[in-house]
Amino acid sequence: QQFIAVAALDDFQVMMDNGATCGVFKNAQLLHNLRMVDRPCIINGIGGKLETQTVGDFMGMTTVYYHPDALANILSQSTLSDEGHQITYNHRMQTFHLVPVGSNHAIEFKRHGGLYCFDTRAPDLVATSVARNKQRYTKREIKRAEEARRVQKRLGYPSDERIPHMTTVQNIPVTRSDIVRAKQIWGPHRALLRGKMRLKKPPAVIIDDLDWKPTEIVQDMAIDVFFIDGDGYLLSVLSPLDYSISTHLKNRETDSIRSALNHQFALINEQDYTVRAIMCDGEGGVLALYDELRDQGYVINPFGAGEHVPVVERKIDTLKGRIRSCLMGLDYQLMFSLLRYLVEYATIMVNLEPCSKREDPTSPWELFHGRKIDYKRHLKLAFGDYAEVKELRHKSNSMNARSQPCIA
């Protein structure tokens, strides 16, 4: 009966087991930093015996084993407790609450039959931020802010600025400070955004073009393949420009690498740059293109077996550090399908930094695109930020929502 209950859990539900001595997951999309360990682990359970050498990190708080044939995604309650995470049980609600070390946000495991699980597909994206905002105020101030939101709803959602001036309604129990405080805790009211958002005429965009073009039009290109949670990417670094380009790979086959290289060559040619030489390590998919690239006029410089191209290896290490930091800075578990966009974002951010090898302070991004970056114009949102975006497809006089919730 217990086997049937566990097997009924889907791939995105996580169970906390007080009888498990270690955690094991069957869904790799829920894990980060998948890697091999030195010794295999043999796991005996109600689903049989599994042997695995693969581990991954779950939500940045614990390490679990991974095997695609595991019965479910299982966390070990004893391991979590030993690692210092706080676990409490609510007898009345019959729920477990897990508070990771260094966090104020509790993960709730609800009872499903005889099991305690939570669904990773429905994370509370704003719970951590709201809890952090509430810590700045007293209980009385939070209560009045909640009342301000109720008042706004009962009045039919007038704007925040209009409520204090509605003298035609007597005994409104909130003040302007309560309304401002509610906005500081929860942000703009989503009902107002989706019901009233208007399309504003954007300000005139002034592009600050560079008044010169670098003389190093001909570039050398160092390439390598790297992986993030099993997802492959082709990274190319142009020298001496120090500009990086990352392209997602469907697989490690030659056709996939050829397609990625052609895409990168097109981007480079659009900006009037030319690739002279290509440096690579012993990646099989790249070496298979040796004759083809040479016939196109490129000088191919493959490194020896076991050797790596230093410039691209350092850049990969920098990129992975940025990606890891972005993941740790999110208040929710990033979907695996969005990972490629994070890699693209991190590549752009790295290109914004001036190269320490060049005398001038101009960033590789500016040199490559010929435009400057303005913080207020181009960096209004960070990767993973929640945003309400104007919906242009619907008619403005319909009752459809005027904005859509999005993740930047």
Side-chain angles (χ1 to χ4, degrees):
Q1 185 177 2
Q2 187 178 7
F3 175 86
I4 296 174
V6 175
L9 299 177
D10 63 42
D11 290 350
F12 291 90
Q13 289 180 296
V14 176
M15 181 182 82
M16 183 161 60
D17 189 355
N18 61 1
T21 57
C22 66
V24 58
F25 274 48
K26 68 174 181 179
N27 187 359
Q29 297 184 41
L30 301 181
L31 302 177
H32 295 294
N33 192 25
L34 286 172
R35 57 197 183 274
M36 302 291 290
V37 292
D38 296 334
R39 295 183 178 180
C41 176
I42 299 176
I43 303 171
N44 291 295
I46 58 174
K49 183 169 70 173
L50 297 174
E51 182 175 340
T52 179
Q53 283 186 262
T54 307
V55 298
D57 300 328
F58 177 63
M59 295 182 68
M61 66 177 175
T62 189
T63 300
V64 298
Y65 286 97
Y66 165 72
H67 197 291
D69 296 331
L71 201 58
N73 304 304
I74 300 173
L75 291 173
S76 166
Q77 183 175 337
S78 60
T79 300
L80 293 170
S81 180
D82 292 342
E83 291 174 345
H85 307 296
Q86 181 182 350
I87 303 174
T88 58
Y89 181 69
N90 187 318
H91 291 274
R92 183 173 63 87
M93 301 298 296
Q94 292 192 353
T95 57
F96 277 96
H97 292 88
L98 168 64
V99 181
V101 175
S103 173
N104 296 316
H105 177 54
I107 301 171
E108 185 179 64
F109 291 77
K110 298 180 181 180
R111 183 168 180 173
H112 296 272
L115 308 176
Y116 291 88
C117 314
F118 86 97
D119 196 330
T120 59
R121 291 166 298 191
D124 187 351
L125 301 185
V126 298
T128 304
S129 298
V130 169
R132 192 181 301 120
N133 293 339
K134 284 184 176 180
Q135 292 177 357
R136 297 155 51 190
Y137 303 104
T138 64
K139 291 182 178 180
R140 182 176 180 275
E141 289 173 331
I142 295 173
K143 193 172 183 180
R144 289 187 63 84
E146 292 171 345
E147 180 66 22
R149 285 294 165 96
R150 285 192 292 269
V151 167
Q152 194 169 33
K153 182 177 181 180
R154 292 177 186 179
L155 290 174
Y157 296 107
S159 64
D160 295 343
E161 295 77 14
R162 295 293 299 171
I163 296 177
H165 300 290
M166 293 182 66
T167 56
T168 53
V169 180
Q170 297 181 350
N171 300 319
I172 292 181
V174 295
T175 65
R176 182 179 182 278
S177 298
D178 300 325
I179 298 168
V180 172
R181 191 178 302 114
K183 190 172 183 179
Q184 291 173 341
I185 294 174
W186 294 287
H189 204 302
R190 283 181 293 181
L192 287 175
L193 291 173
R194 296 177 185 179
K196 297 185 175 184
M197 181 178 283
R198 297 181 182 274
L199 184 62
K200 297 180 180 179
K201 184 178 180 180
V205 178
I206 301 175
I207 304 297
D208 297 323
D209 294 330
L210 297 179
D211 56 2
W212 58 279
K213 190 76 172 179
T215 57
E216 302 93 343
I217 300 297
V218 178
Q219 301 286 316
D220 292 334
M221 186 175 178
I223 64 175
D224 198 2
V225 175
F226 71 100
F227 294 86
I228 303 289
D229 286 355
D231 221 15
Y233 300 86
L234 177 70
L235 180 68
S236 300
V237 181
L238 301 180
S239 299
L241 198 61
D242 198 47
Y243 184 81
S244 303
I245 306 174
S246 60
T247 305
H248 179 257
L249 296 174
K250 294 181 180 180
N251 50 56
R252 298 182 70 170
E253 300 299 326
T254 301
D255 288 343
S256 180
I257 295 178
R258 179 190 292 111
S259 177
L261 276 174
N262 289 335
H263 172 71
Q264 294 184 358
F265 289 149
L267 293 177
I268 295 168
N269 293 334
E270 283 179 5
Q271 301 300 327
D272 297 327
Y273 285 96
T274 303
V275 174
R276 173 182 55 191
I278 299 176
M279 296 172 288
C280 61
D281 60 10
E283 179 67 34
V286 178
L287 293 180
L289 298 172
Y290 182 93
D291 293 335
E292 182 178 329
L293 292 172
R294 187 181 57 184
D295 292 342
Q296 295 176 14
Y298 298 108
V299 178
I300 312 300
N301 183 11
F303 279 48
E307 296 182 357
H308 298 282
V309 185
V311 62
V312 73
E313 281 295 307
R314 288 193 297 268
K315 195 68 71 171
I316 289 174
D317 185 65
T318 300
L319 269 179
K320 286 187 174 181
R322 290 294 193 92
I323 294 166
R324 194 178 300 113
S325 298
C326 288
L327 289 172
M328 295 302 104
L330 294 177
D331 294 329
Y332 56 91
Q333 183 86 6
L334 185 69
M335 293 177 59
F336 184 77
S337 59
L338 299 180
L339 181 62
R340 65 185 64 179
Y341 303 108
L342 174 55
V343 174
E344 183 178 349
Y345 169 82
T347 306
I348 295 173
M349 293 302 106
V350 169
N351 283 329
L352 295 184
E353 297 182 3
C355 176
S356 59
K357 297 179 181 179
R358 299 180 64 91
E359 292 294 333
D360 64 272
T362 311
S363 71
W365 197 94
E366 293 178 34
L367 295 172
F368 187 78
H369 293 277
R371 301 194 305 272
K372 291 183 177 294
I373 287 290
D374 184 276
Y375 179 84
K376 293 183 178 179
R377 186 186 305 146
H378 302 110
L379 300 174
K380 288 185 176 181
L381 295 172
F383 181 87
D385 280 353
Y386 174 86
E388 290 280 343
V389 179
K390 173 66 178 176
E391 178 58 73
L392 298 176
R393 292 175 297 178
H394 297 151
K395 294 182 179 180
S396 60
N397 60 351
S398 72
M399 289 298 102
N400 293 319
R402 290 194 172 186
S403 69
Q404 292 292 332
C406 300
I407 295 178

